[in-house]
Structure formats: structure tokens, C-alpha cells
Amino acid sequence: MSDRNPDDKTAPAPTATGLRQGLTSYGDRDFSLFLRKAFIKGAGYTDAALDRPVVGIAATGSAYNPCHGNMPQLVEAVSRGVMLAGGLPMVFPTMTLHESFAAPTSMYLRNLMAMETEELLRAQPMDAVVLIGGCDKTVPAQLMAAASAGLPAVQLITGSMLTGSHRHQRVGACTDCRRYWARFRAQEIDEAEVSAVNNQLVASVGTCSVMGTASTMACIAEALGMTVPGGASPPAVTADRMRVAELSGEQAVRIARSRLTIDQVLTAKAFENAMRVLLAIGGSTNGIVHLTAMAARMGFEMDLDALDRMGQGTPVLLDLKPSGQHYMEDFHAAGGMATLLRELKPLLHLDAITVNGCTLGEQIDAAGPGFEQDVVRPRSNPIYAQGGLAVLRGNLAPGGAIVKASAATAALMEHEGRAVVFEDAADLAARIDDPSLDVNADDILVLKRIGPKGAPGMPEAGALPIPLKLARAGVKDMVRISDGRMSGTAFGTVVLHVTPEAAEGGPLAWVRSGDRIVLSVARRELTLQVSEAEMAARRAAQPLQPPAAERGYRKLFLQHVTQADRGVDFDFLQPASNGRRIPSA
Ligand code: FES
């Protein structure tokens, strides 16, 4: 029964695998295993089944998460793959998060999902795990969890939704959600039409169909080497997605046997490849926060200025909304990540190991030659030459801020304007559409206290709505600045992640309406034209009142959440730095 010295009744077996690992301690390992097997046999398992390598399957289906609405089919396909490869699939539920069903914001709960998933990976016996995620925060939460738990892991993406059609116009969540809602606010379309398009924006289960955060994280997961080849792009309801699921199960058994642990995959080179891909796809700004958090779990520190330099050498190649024209299903038809990685080959670390047991370079070569398509541009003809994401510095953002230049208005990227300040999200909601609001099209909208601690949870409220009276006058974009995030499906000249945040005592807290602000993307500058002496006087007159909570998760969150430049993770979940800053460029 036991694979250890029978004289030692208490010590854990150093090489315990399968059901023999992680036994409850009663002071007698053999009895613990005897008891565990008795219970699991209650579900009808044989000894032969229980002797196989165990592959956990983290299932994240929920009626509240239509982005994961194909979970039953995915779980079945992964289980089939595990069985085909000689393993034992063990499906277990974990927390799930959907962007529209997680108040106050899904980001507030990402770390809770990561903690729960990590502890279940540690607590339950498994030799490898297939993590099934898709909606924005689920993939980063799962990868953060797996990085900390340290076992062999394969990421399976749920896949994107199909696009719909409104009056013969192709539409998809959620770039088009914002576009139609902005047109409704501007009175360009009526209530009947905005109601009709609501039926078409999400045409099937699956994740948002543009290069939002979910698609960004899917591409990042494949670039990190954490999915099977081609794992990022198949839509949720396709046969290709189910084949990827089956292959993920098979591969999990292989890496369980070879003990290809996650630290061999999530290396500095892998993270640099992922950053390169984030830049080349015109990915969501949220991808930076999640990559920072994932890298920190492996001991790496994100160097935002080096990331900016990397961006200046990386063209945006993927012609997907919101930076371009196409949708995720078009990217899949164009060959998916193999097509993109082939084009990026000279810029990648080709010797990075993937969960497939080969290098990324070998994986790209195995995908074969490219073919004619119009979704992934050649490097000689990018949709945005360089710097799709820019890192800004200045007295308003000493710890940095981000702007997605590829989704911004070119004419606003060099802009000086008068600040129109909203103290928090409630103030914004109360006044943004007030006809008496003193605001002009060349003003700069500033929103405070939507950072990691401010809201709390750093909601995606950074793309402030254009004030109603300006929207109705035809204004489509304005410079907007906040310490929050924005959805990857959004667009506009939106400065995000201002660090330190207002609730942490960053200079943003003391900006007043009427102050002048200078944004220069070319100089990477964000400057508040207010003297240090005046700022000191404002700080003295209005001392900081940090948010606090009496109990529970909110108390834990407010005490331990880090700023955007450290990934908005909890400080106690991040190991000491290994001294490596990435990217090294
Ligand atoms: Fe789930 Fe967009 S809401 S991916």
C-alpha cells in the first residue's frame, strides 16, 4: 500500500504521487491513505483507476458566468484527454468571476480567487492541473495560483463568443456595446435601436470577441507557454475549442509524468515573450497589471520603463478591435497565435520552454508555413508602428501611468488643458451629465479614488463618459485621467493606473478643477502645473483619509493590496524579489 519506509509512520513520502500525496495527518500515513481510498471508492472507483496519475480539472462554470457557459463540454473533453493518456481526471469547482456579475468590481475579487485556487491545488492530491478560465480576471487568478502552488499546470481558455449582426452590421462585445451606447447618449440612435442591438452584441457563450482583457490574457497564456499550441484563439462553441480541451487533458498527464513544473515554464524569458505579444496585439492595459502580478509570484519585478522601451521596438500587428477592425474568430481563421508568433519570431526568446515539453521556437516551426490573410499584419506594414502602450511619468504620476496610444486620438496625445475634477465615482455619477457642469471639449476630465484601495478594487471606470452636453454636440473623445483601469474593449485618450493612487496619498488626491495639466505621449510626460509649495499647502489643509474596513475580506484587501506597479496583488502573497527586473531590454 505504501511506497515509503514502513518503520516511519508519520513522515510524508518525499516522492508521493497520485492519491498518496497531501494525506490528512492522523500520525499514521497508511491509515490516512486507507481512509481516503475508502471514501473515494464510495464514488465507484477501482484500485486500477486510483493508481493512475491524478489530473485535477479546475472548473469555473456558473450561471453567473456566461463567458464560461461551455464549461460542461470543456470538462468532458479535458477528462477524455486525461483518460486517453492514462490519467485519472478529478474535476473540482472553484470560484469564478464575470465582469458584469462581481460587485464592486471583479478586480477586487481576483486575489480571492487566486488564493482559493492556490489552496485547493495545495490541499487536494493531484500530479498536474488543467485550469479552465476565460473571463478577464479568471486566467490571471488561475496562473497566479498555479505559480505559487508550483505544480505542473496547463491553462485552458474557454474561448471567445461569436459575433452577432445588427441591421447587417457585424457586432461583438464589448467595443460595439460602448460604441452603440455612446451613440444613444448622443441621441444618434433611439431607445428601440439600442434595445435591438442589445440582443446581438453577445451572440453565444464565450468571452468578449475583441482584443479586450480576456482575449489579451488568452494570447498571453499561449505566449507564456502555458497552453497547448493554438490554445488562445478557437471560439468557445467550436470543435477546435473542444479539441484544444482534449489535448490539454492529454498534455497534463504527460507533464505530470515528466514533472514539468510551472517554474520551468514561467521564466524571465517567458514573461518577456508575453510582454512582446501584449504589445504586438495592441492588448488590454489590464494585461500589464496581471503580468506584473504573475511575474511577482515568480519573484520578478516589472520594469515599466523597460516595458515602454520594448514597446518602442514592437509594432502593433493584430488588426482587431478596439485598435483595429476584426474580431477573435477572424484571428482564429487567420491561424491564431501561430501566425502572430511566426511574424514576431526575431523578437522572441525562442528557447523558452512550454508546457508542451518543447521550446516556443519548435512550437512555431511545427505550425508550418503561413498563408495569406489580413488579420495579422507583417512587421513591414503594422497597424501602429510602435509604442501601442506608453508609460508616462511626471509629478502627477511619480510611480507611473499608462496610456493605450493605439486606441487614443492622435490629436489629443500632445495636449494641455484645464482639469475638471471628480472626487470619486459617486461624484462623477452625480455631475457628469449635469447641464450646468463647467466643461469644454479641450478640458481634461480627472477622476480620483478608483485605484486599488480607493474604490476599492481599481474598477474599470477610467474611460469616463463624455459629458452629455458635449456628447450631444458631437464630441467623441477627451483626455481622461484616473488611478483606475479601463476595459480592454474601450478606446479613447485615457490615462490610467496613475500611481500612487489618490487614496494612498498620491498627488492626484490634491488636483483641483481649474489646474492645468500637460499630457505629452511623445515625451512620456504627465505634468500637473501646480507648484510644490501649493501642493504642500493643499495637503496640509486637507489631510488624507485612507479608506478602512471593520472586518472580513475588505479589511484584508485594504491592509495588503499593492499599487498598480506591483500588480494589485496582496503583499503577503508575493515572495521576496529574486533581483531580476523584466523586461531586461
Ligand atoms: Fe467575460 Fe468580457 S465579460 S470576457
Side-chain angles (χ1 to χ4, degrees):
M1 176 178 286
S2 173
D3 55 1
R4 64 174 184 86
N5 178 355
D7 295 334
D8 183 353
K9 293 284 185 189
T10 56
T15 56
T17 57
L19 289 190
R20 292 175 175 80
Q21 59 195 303
L23 287 164
T24 309
S25 177
Y26 301 118
D28 182 341
R29 281 190 74 256
D30 290 345
F31 176 64
S32 296
L33 182 59
F34 175 78
L35 207 58
R36 171 176 284 177
K37 283 183 132 183
F39 279 117
I40 200 75
K41 282 179 176 174
Y45 289 93
T46 62
D47 280 313
L50 298 176
D51 273 344
R52 290 181 165 205
V54 176
V55 174
I57 301 172
T60 51
S62 161
Y64 289 105
N65 196 343
C67 296
H68 295 195
N70 57 348
M71 194 60 57
Q73 294 80 13
L74 288 174
V75 165
E76 184 186 334
V78 176
S79 301
R80 183 170 66 242
V82 172
M83 294 289 284
L84 284 169
L88 175 66
M90 296 289 284
V91 183
F92 63 98
T94 78
M95 185 173 163
T96 193
L97 292 169
H98 183 279
E99 291 304 290
S100 289
F101 296 96
T105 170
S106 59
M107 188 65 174
Y108 174 66
L109 296 166
R110 182 202 64 179
N111 298 347
L112 184 61
M113 180 173 173
M115 287 175 73
E116 190 225 29
T117 304
E118 177 186 339
E119 294 308 322
L120 289 176
L121 299 185
R122 291 183 190 281
Q124 301 172 141
M126 61 188 81
D127 300 298
V129 64
V130 177
L131 305 149
I132 312 180
C135 196
D136 294 17
K137 306 305 177 296
T138 58
V139 171
Q142 290 180 326
L143 288 175
M144 289 158 70
S148 293
L151 77 176
V154 176
Q155 181 74 56
L156 172 61
I157 304 297
T158 59
S160 60
M161 62 182 70
L162 300 180
T163 51
S165 179
H166 171 67
R167 299 186 181 174
H168 208 49
Q169 292 274 314
R170 198 175 180 206
V171 292
C174 228
T175 302
D176 296 320
C177 314
R178 297 172 200 286
R179 192 162 58 83
Y180 275 90
W181 191 252
R183 291 184 64 200
F184 175 60
R185 275 175 62 81
Q187 296 181 320
E188 292 173 11
I189 60 174
D190 61 16
E191 198 156 348
E193 182 167 358
V194 85
S195 183
V197 78
N198 192 255
N199 284 335
Q200 301 304 323
L201 288 163
V202 179
S204 75
V205 296
T207 57
C208 287
S209 54
V210 298
M211 191 44 73
T213 305
S215 302
T216 299
M217 294 312 301
C219 294
I220 280 177
E222 187 166 346
L224 283 169
M226 287 301 303
T227 74
V228 298
S233 63
V237 295
T238 59
D240 278 350
R241 176 53 63 195
M242 294 309 139
R243 270 187 286 276
V244 163
E246 183 184 299
L247 290 170
S248 300
E250 284 188 14
Q251 193 55 34
V253 177
R254 289 191 200 103
I255 63 172
R257 290 194 167 117
S258 66
R259 297 303 298 167
L260 181 65
T261 46
I262 196 166
D263 57 307
Q264 298 169 66
V265 180
L266 292 185
T267 60
K269 288 179 178 178
F271 281 111
E272 291 185 3
N273 286 340
M275 290 176 205
R276 190 70 79 174
V277 163
L278 170 71
L279 294 160
I281 62 178
S284 164
T285 46
N286 294 320
I288 299 175
V289 179
H290 297 317
L291 262 177
T292 302
M294 288 154 48
R297 292 291 185 109
M298 302 305 296
F300 301 112
E301 283 179 57
M302 177 70 84
D303 183 337
L304 283 176
D305 296 312
L307 178 67
D308 186 282
R309 287 194 293 279
M310 182 188 258
Q312 293 180 48
T314 310
V316 178
L317 300 180
L318 194 53
D319 191 2
L320 244 66
K321 288 173 181 260
S323 298
Q325 291 307 311
H326 293 285
Y327 295 87
M328 275 303 278
E329 60 200 76
D330 307 319
F331 180 40
H332 183 56
M337 282 294 286
T339 303
L340 181 85
L341 294 172
R342 193 183 296 116
E343 195 57 39
L344 284 178
K345 214 172 162 186
L347 302 175
L348 297 171
H349 297 292
L350 298 174
D351 57 341
I353 296 288
T354 73
V355 290
N356 304 298
C358 60
T359 66
L360 188 68
E362 289 166 343
Q363 201 168 295
I364 296 169
D365 292 343
F371 48 84
E372 201 173 325
Q373 47 79 38
D374 66 351
V375 180
V376 180
R377 298 274 192 89
R379 276 178 298 128
S380 56
N381 180 30
I383 69 160
Y384 198 84
Q386 57 165 16
L389 291 171
V391 178
L392 307 173
R393 300 270 181 188
N395 65 350
L396 191 50
I402 302 287
V403 65
K404 186 173 181 178
S406 61
T409 302
L412 288 174
M413 289 204 282
E414 304 298 313
H415 186 76
E416 179 186 333
R418 183 184 68 141
V420 175
V421 175
F422 301 92
E423 293 298 324
D424 54 28
D427 185 31
L428 174 78
R431 294 195 295 124
I432 189 74
D433 290 341
D434 185 340
S436 66
L437 180 68
D438 178 14
V439 64
N440 300 304
D442 56 358
D443 288 337
I444 294 178
L445 304 179
V446 176
L447 177 57
K448 306 176 182 177
R449 294 185 182 81
I450 59 163
K453 291 184 178 175
M458 207 180 181
E460 291 182 339
L464 284 70
I466 303 296
L468 199 57
K469 65 180 184 184
L470 297 181
R472 289 184 178 166
V475 177
K476 301 281 189 232
D477 193 11
M478 296 173 69
V479 175
R480 290 160 270 179
I481 298 174
S482 76
D483 46 13
R485 299 177 300 117
M486 80 170 179
S487 164
T489 64
F491 45 86
T493 313
V494 184
V495 177
L496 302 155
H497 310 180
V498 169
T499 304
E501 64 175 312
E504 185 80 342
L508 187 69
W510 289 280
V511 178
R512 291 180 182 168
S513 287
D515 290 348
R516 307 289 298 177
I517 294 175
V518 176
L519 167 67
S520 170
V521 178
R523 296 196 302 273
R524 301 296 196 258
E525 175 191 338
L526 187 64
T527 302
L528 177 68
Q529 292 186 319
V530 174
S531 70
E532 243 324 299
E534 169 63 17
M535 289 297 277
R538 290 182 187 181
R539 274 192 285 269
Q542 187 192 351
L544 183 72
Q545 291 187 322
E550 283 297 309
R551 61 175 294 280
Y553 181 68
R554 183 170 287 234
K555 183 171 183 175
L556 179 84
F557 187 96
L558 289 173
Q559 286 180 344
H560 293 286
V561 73
T562 62
Q563 293 290 286
D565 60 349
R566 290 188 57 205
V568 196
D569 198 2
F570 293 149
D571 51 12
F572 60 84
L573 294 175
Q574 296 180 325
S577 166
N578 62 18
R580 289 280 303 268
R581 288 173 69 78
I582 53 171
S584 56

PDB file of all heavy atoms in Angstrom, residues 27-51:
ATOM      1  N   GLY A  27      -1.150  10.903  12.115  1.00  0.00           N
ATOM      2  CA  GLY A  27       0.002  10.249  12.750  1.00  0.00           C
ATOM      3  C   GLY A  27       0.262   8.868  12.162  1.00  0.00           C
ATOM      4  O   GLY A  27       1.150   8.161  12.607  1.00  0.00           O
ATOM      5  N   ASP A  28      -0.496   8.473  11.169  1.00  0.00           N
ATOM      6  CA  ASP A  28      -0.314   7.147  10.564  1.00  0.00           C
ATOM      7  C   ASP A  28      -0.683   7.258   9.081  1.00  0.00           C
ATOM      8  O   ASP A  28      -1.861   7.240   8.720  1.00  0.00           O
ATOM      9  CB  ASP A  28      -1.211   6.133  11.270  1.00  0.00           C
ATOM     10  CG  ASP A  28      -1.029   4.711  10.720  1.00  0.00           C
ATOM     11  OD1 ASP A  28      -0.513   4.579   9.590  1.00  0.00           O
ATOM     12  OD2 ASP A  28      -1.411   3.754  11.420  1.00  0.00           O
ATOM     13  N   ARG A  29       0.316   7.394   8.230  1.00  0.00           N
ATOM     14  CA  ARG A  29       0.068   7.631   6.808  1.00  0.00           C
ATOM     15  C   ARG A  29      -0.730   6.506   6.168  1.00  0.00           C
ATOM     16  O   ARG A  29      -1.618   6.741   5.338  1.00  0.00           O
ATOM     17  CB  ARG A  29       1.388   7.779   6.045  1.00  0.00           C
ATOM     18  CG  ARG A  29       2.044   9.143   6.198  1.00  0.00           C
ATOM     19  CD  ARG A  29       3.204   9.271   5.228  1.00  0.00           C
ATOM     20  NE  ARG A  29       2.733   9.462   3.866  1.00  0.00           N
ATOM     21  CZ  ARG A  29       2.723   8.530   2.936  1.00  0.00           C
ATOM     22  NH1 ARG A  29       3.158   7.318   3.196  1.00  0.00           N
ATOM     23  NH2 ARG A  29       2.281   8.793   1.730  1.00  0.00           N
ATOM     24  N   ASP A  30      -0.395   5.272   6.525  1.00  0.00           N
ATOM     25  CA  ASP A  30      -1.084   4.149   5.878  1.00  0.00           C
ATOM     26  C   ASP A  30      -2.583   4.195   6.173  1.00  0.00           C
ATOM     27  O   ASP A  30      -3.408   3.921   5.304  1.00  0.00           O
ATOM     28  CB  ASP A  30      -0.486   2.818   6.360  1.00  0.00           C
ATOM     29  CG  ASP A  30       0.915   2.623   5.827  1.00  0.00           C
ATOM     30  OD1 ASP A  30       1.283   3.358   4.879  1.00  0.00           O
ATOM     31  OD2 ASP A  30       1.635   1.752   6.347  1.00  0.00           O
ATOM     32  N   PHE A  31      -2.911   4.550   7.427  1.00  0.00           N
ATOM     33  CA  PHE A  31      -4.333   4.647   7.767  1.00  0.00           C
ATOM     34  C   PHE A  31      -4.987   5.793   6.995  1.00  0.00           C
ATOM     35  O   PHE A  31      -6.113   5.670   6.504  1.00  0.00           O
ATOM     36  CB  PHE A  31      -4.505   4.858   9.274  1.00  0.00           C
ATOM     37  CG  PHE A  31      -5.956   5.059   9.663  1.00  0.00           C
ATOM     38  CD1 PHE A  31      -6.889   4.031   9.478  1.00  0.00           C
ATOM     39  CD2 PHE A  31      -6.388   6.271  10.178  1.00  0.00           C
ATOM     40  CE1 PHE A  31      -8.223   4.231   9.808  1.00  0.00           C
ATOM     41  CE2 PHE A  31      -7.726   6.467  10.504  1.00  0.00           C
ATOM     42  CZ  PHE A  31      -8.652   5.443  10.314  1.00  0.00           C
ATOM     43  N   SER A  32      -4.272   6.913   6.850  1.00  0.00           N
ATOM     44  CA  SER A  32      -4.822   8.057   6.107  1.00  0.00           C
ATOM     45  C   SER A  32      -5.136   7.669   4.671  1.00  0.00           C
ATOM     46  O   SER A  32      -6.188   8.032   4.129  1.00  0.00           O
ATOM     47  CB  SER A  32      -3.832   9.226   6.123  1.00  0.00           C
ATOM     48  OG  SER A  32      -3.648   9.688   7.432  1.00  0.00           O
ATOM     49  N   LEU A  33      -4.215   6.921   4.064  1.00  0.00           N
ATOM     50  CA  LEU A  33      -4.429   6.506   2.675  1.00  0.00           C
ATOM     51  C   LEU A  33      -5.580   5.494   2.601  1.00  0.00           C
ATOM     52  O   LEU A  33      -6.429   5.556   1.704  1.00  0.00           O
ATOM     53  CB  LEU A  33      -3.138   5.890   2.110  1.00  0.00           C
ATOM     54  CG  LEU A  33      -3.196   5.460   0.660  1.00  0.00           C
ATOM     55  CD1 LEU A  33      -3.530   6.631  -0.265  1.00  0.00           C
ATOM     56  CD2 LEU A  33      -1.856   4.837   0.228  1.00  0.00           C
ATOM     57  N   PHE A  34      -5.601   4.585   3.576  1.00  0.00           N
ATOM     58  CA  PHE A  34      -6.685   3.590   3.642  1.00  0.00           C
ATOM     59  C   PHE A  34      -8.046   4.290   3.713  1.00  0.00           C
ATOM     60  O   PHE A  34      -8.994   3.966   2.993  1.00  0.00           O
ATOM     61  CB  PHE A  34      -6.437   2.732   4.892  1.00  0.00           C
ATOM     62  CG  PHE A  34      -7.519   1.743   5.192  1.00  0.00           C
ATOM     63  CD1 PHE A  34      -7.625   0.561   4.480  1.00  0.00           C
ATOM     64  CD2 PHE A  34      -8.435   1.995   6.217  1.00  0.00           C
ATOM     65  CE1 PHE A  34      -8.630  -0.352   4.769  1.00  0.00           C
ATOM     66  CE2 PHE A  34      -9.438   1.096   6.504  1.00  0.00           C
ATOM     67  CZ  PHE A  34      -9.539  -0.085   5.779  1.00  0.00           C
ATOM     68  N   LEU A  35      -8.103   5.340   4.541  1.00  0.00           N
ATOM     69  CA  LEU A  35      -9.351   6.073   4.736  1.00  0.00           C
ATOM     70  C   LEU A  35      -9.731   6.843   3.469  1.00  0.00           C
ATOM     71  O   LEU A  35     -10.881   6.821   3.012  1.00  0.00           O
ATOM     72  CB  LEU A  35      -9.142   7.062   5.886  1.00  0.00           C
ATOM     73  CG  LEU A  35     -10.355   7.483   6.691  1.00  0.00           C
ATOM     74  CD1 LEU A  35     -11.045   6.278   7.310  1.00  0.00           C
ATOM     75  CD2 LEU A  35      -9.922   8.456   7.794  1.00  0.00           C
ATOM     76  N   ARG A  36      -8.740   7.492   2.880  1.00  0.00           N
ATOM     77  CA  ARG A  36      -9.005   8.281   1.661  1.00  0.00           C
ATOM     78  C   ARG A  36      -9.552   7.371   0.552  1.00  0.00           C
ATOM     79  O   ARG A  36     -10.520   7.714  -0.135  1.00  0.00           O
ATOM     80  CB  ARG A  36      -7.718   8.958   1.199  1.00  0.00           C
ATOM     81  CG  ARG A  36      -7.825   9.610  -0.159  1.00  0.00           C
ATOM     82  CD  ARG A  36      -6.573  10.343  -0.538  1.00  0.00           C
ATOM     83  NE  ARG A  36      -6.454  11.609   0.160  1.00  0.00           N
ATOM     84  CZ  ARG A  36      -5.413  12.444   0.066  1.00  0.00           C
ATOM     85  NH1 ARG A  36      -4.407  12.107  -0.702  1.00  0.00           N
ATOM     86  NH2 ARG A  36      -5.391  13.572   0.728  1.00  0.00           N
ATOM     87  N   LYS A  37      -8.916   6.221   0.381  1.00  0.00           N
ATOM     88  CA  LYS A  37      -9.356   5.309  -0.688  1.00  0.00           C
ATOM     89  C   LYS A  37     -10.762   4.785  -0.396  1.00  0.00           C
ATOM     90  O   LYS A  37     -11.569   4.614  -1.316  1.00  0.00           O
ATOM     91  CB  LYS A  37      -8.369   4.150  -0.833  1.00  0.00           C
ATOM     92  CG  LYS A  37      -7.091   4.544  -1.566  1.00  0.00           C
ATOM     93  CD  LYS A  37      -6.191   3.350  -1.748  1.00  0.00           C
ATOM     94  CE  LYS A  37      -5.697   3.244  -3.179  1.00  0.00           C
ATOM     95  NZ  LYS A  37      -4.887   2.059  -3.400  1.00  0.00           N
ATOM     96  N   ALA A  38     -11.030   4.517   0.864  1.00  0.00           N
ATOM     97  CA  ALA A  38     -12.379   4.032   1.202  1.00  0.00           C
ATOM     98  C   ALA A  38     -13.432   5.050   0.783  1.00  0.00           C
ATOM     99  O   ALA A  38     -14.454   4.710   0.182  1.00  0.00           O
ATOM    100  CB  ALA A  38     -12.466   3.755   2.709  1.00  0.00           C
ATOM    101  N   PHE A  39     -13.164   6.327   1.073  1.00  0.00           N
ATOM    102  CA  PHE A  39     -14.145   7.370   0.720  1.00  0.00           C
ATOM    103  C   PHE A  39     -14.311   7.506  -0.779  1.00  0.00           C
ATOM    104  O   PHE A  39     -15.418   7.554  -1.295  1.00  0.00           O
ATOM    105  CB  PHE A  39     -13.736   8.715   1.334  1.00  0.00           C
ATOM    106  CG  PHE A  39     -14.124   8.845   2.780  1.00  0.00           C
ATOM    107  CD1 PHE A  39     -13.164   8.993   3.765  1.00  0.00           C
ATOM    108  CD2 PHE A  39     -15.454   8.814   3.157  1.00  0.00           C
ATOM    109  CE1 PHE A  39     -13.521   9.098   5.095  1.00  0.00           C
ATOM    110  CE2 PHE A  39     -15.831   8.925   4.483  1.00  0.00           C
ATOM    111  CZ  PHE A  39     -14.858   9.070   5.465  1.00  0.00           C
ATOM    112  N   ILE A  40     -13.184   7.542  -1.503  1.00  0.00           N
ATOM    113  CA  ILE A  40     -13.296   7.782  -2.944  1.00  0.00           C
ATOM    114  C   ILE A  40     -13.913   6.564  -3.631  1.00  0.00           C
ATOM    115  O   ILE A  40     -14.602   6.692  -4.648  1.00  0.00           O
ATOM    116  CB  ILE A  40     -11.921   8.166  -3.561  1.00  0.00           C
ATOM    117  CG1 ILE A  40     -12.107   8.871  -4.908  1.00  0.00           C
ATOM    118  CG2 ILE A  40     -11.008   6.988  -3.720  1.00  0.00           C
ATOM    119  CD1 ILE A  40     -12.572  10.291  -4.804  1.00  0.00           C
ATOM    120  N   LYS A  41     -13.719   5.396  -3.043  1.00  0.00           N
ATOM    121  CA  LYS A  41     -14.347   4.197  -3.625  1.00  0.00           C
ATOM    122  C   LYS A  41     -15.864   4.254  -3.480  1.00  0.00           C
ATOM    123  O   LYS A  41     -16.582   3.568  -4.205  1.00  0.00           O
ATOM    124  CB  LYS A  41     -13.768   2.932  -2.987  1.00  0.00           C
ATOM    125  CG  LYS A  41     -12.392   2.593  -3.550  1.00  0.00           C
ATOM    126  CD  LYS A  41     -11.808   1.351  -2.897  1.00  0.00           C
ATOM    127  CE  LYS A  41     -10.488   0.989  -3.552  1.00  0.00           C
ATOM    128  NZ  LYS A  41      -9.817  -0.141  -2.851  1.00  0.00           N
ATOM    129  N   GLY A  42     -16.329   5.061  -2.560  1.00  0.00           N
ATOM    130  CA  GLY A  42     -17.771   5.272  -2.447  1.00  0.00           C
ATOM    131  C   GLY A  42     -18.359   5.855  -3.722  1.00  0.00           C
ATOM    132  O   GLY A  42     -19.563   5.773  -3.968  1.00  0.00           O
ATOM    133  N   ALA A  43     -17.506   6.459  -4.543  1.00  0.00           N
ATOM    134  CA  ALA A  43     -17.959   7.000  -5.820  1.00  0.00           C
ATOM    135  C   ALA A  43     -17.758   5.991  -6.945  1.00  0.00           C
ATOM    136  O   ALA A  43     -17.955   6.331  -8.117  1.00  0.00           O
ATOM    137  CB  ALA A  43     -17.216   8.291  -6.141  1.00  0.00           C
ATOM    138  N   GLY A  44     -17.343   4.761  -6.584  1.00  0.00           N
ATOM    139  CA  GLY A  44     -17.297   3.691  -7.581  1.00  0.00           C
ATOM    140  C   GLY A  44     -15.968   3.492  -8.264  1.00  0.00           C
ATOM    141  O   GLY A  44     -15.886   2.803  -9.275  1.00  0.00           O
ATOM    142  N   TYR A  45     -14.902   4.098  -7.755  1.00  0.00           N
ATOM    143  CA  TYR A  45     -13.588   3.933  -8.397  1.00  0.00           C
ATOM    144  C   TYR A  45     -12.977   2.572  -8.045  1.00  0.00           C
ATOM    145  O   TYR A  45     -13.192   2.042  -6.952  1.00  0.00           O
ATOM    146  CB  TYR A  45     -12.627   5.036  -7.930  1.00  0.00           C
ATOM    147  CG  TYR A  45     -12.959   6.409  -8.476  1.00  0.00           C
ATOM    148  CD1 TYR A  45     -13.772   7.281  -7.762  1.00  0.00           C
ATOM    149  CD2 TYR A  45     -12.456   6.825  -9.700  1.00  0.00           C
ATOM    150  CE1 TYR A  45     -14.071   8.545  -8.251  1.00  0.00           C
ATOM    151  CE2 TYR A  45     -12.760   8.093 -10.204  1.00  0.00           C
ATOM    152  CZ  TYR A  45     -13.565   8.943  -9.476  1.00  0.00           C
ATOM    153  OH  TYR A  45     -13.862  10.177  -9.974  1.00  0.00           O
ATOM    154  N   THR A  46     -12.159   2.041  -8.978  1.00  0.00           N
ATOM    155  CA  THR A  46     -11.402   0.808  -8.718  1.00  0.00           C
ATOM    156  C   THR A  46      -9.982   1.163  -8.307  1.00  0.00           C
ATOM    157  O   THR A  46      -9.533   2.292  -8.533  1.00  0.00           O
ATOM    158  CB  THR A  46     -11.328  -0.060  -9.988  1.00  0.00           C
ATOM    159  OG1 THR A  46     -10.622   0.696 -10.995  1.00  0.00           O
ATOM    160  CG2 THR A  46     -12.713  -0.438 -10.497  1.00  0.00           C
ATOM    161  N   ASP A  47      -9.256   0.206  -7.757  1.00  0.00           N
ATOM    162  CA  ASP A  47      -7.845   0.443  -7.404  1.00  0.00           C
ATOM    163  C   ASP A  47      -7.036   0.800  -8.636  1.00  0.00           C
ATOM    164  O   ASP A  47      -6.118   1.621  -8.568  1.00  0.00           O
ATOM    165  CB  ASP A  47      -7.249  -0.802  -6.740  1.00  0.00           C
ATOM    166  CG  ASP A  47      -7.651  -0.878  -5.261  1.00  0.00           C
ATOM    167  OD1 ASP A  47      -7.535   0.150  -4.579  1.00  0.00           O
ATOM    168  OD2 ASP A  47      -8.090  -1.955  -4.829  1.00  0.00           O
ATOM    169  N   ALA A  48      -7.367   0.175  -9.793  1.00  0.00           N
ATOM    170  CA  ALA A  48      -6.610   0.468 -11.025  1.00  0.00           C
ATOM    171  C   ALA A  48      -6.770   1.927 -11.407  1.00  0.00           C
ATOM    172  O   ALA A  48      -5.794   2.594 -11.789  1.00  0.00           O
ATOM    173  CB  ALA A  48      -7.104  -0.440 -12.154  1.00  0.00           C
ATOM    174  N   ALA A  49      -7.969   2.450 -11.298  1.00  0.00           N
ATOM    175  CA  ALA A  49      -8.178   3.868 -11.624  1.00  0.00           C
ATOM    176  C   ALA A  49      -7.415   4.756 -10.659  1.00  0.00           C
ATOM    177  O   ALA A  49      -6.783   5.741 -11.057  1.00  0.00           O
ATOM    178  CB  ALA A  49      -9.663   4.191 -11.574  1.00  0.00           C
ATOM    179  N   LEU A  50      -7.445   4.376  -9.380  1.00  0.00           N
ATOM    180  CA  LEU A  50      -6.841   5.225  -8.353  1.00  0.00           C
ATOM    181  C   LEU A  50      -5.318   5.174  -8.379  1.00  0.00           C
ATOM    182  O   LEU A  50      -4.657   5.994  -7.733  1.00  0.00           O
ATOM    183  CB  LEU A  50      -7.364   4.828  -6.976  1.00  0.00           C
ATOM    184  CG  LEU A  50      -8.890   4.999  -6.790  1.00  0.00           C
ATOM    185  CD1 LEU A  50      -9.319   4.493  -5.427  1.00  0.00           C
ATOM    186  CD2 LEU A  50      -9.295   6.461  -6.969  1.00  0.00           C
ATOM    187  N   ASP A  51      -4.744   4.210  -9.095  1.00  0.00           N
ATOM    188  CA  ASP A  51      -3.288   4.139  -9.214  1.00  0.00           C
ATOM    189  C   ASP A  51      -2.747   5.011 -10.345  1.00  0.00           C
ATOM    190  O   ASP A  51      -1.541   5.135 -10.522  1.00  0.00           O
ATOM    191  CB  ASP A  51      -2.840   2.688  -9.435  1.00  0.00           C
ATOM    192  CG  ASP A  51      -2.647   1.985  -8.097  1.00  0.00           C
ATOM    193  OD1 ASP A  51      -2.554   2.689  -7.073  1.00  0.00           O
ATOM    194  OD2 ASP A  51      -2.597   0.742  -8.090  1.00  0.00           O
TER     195      ASP A  51
END
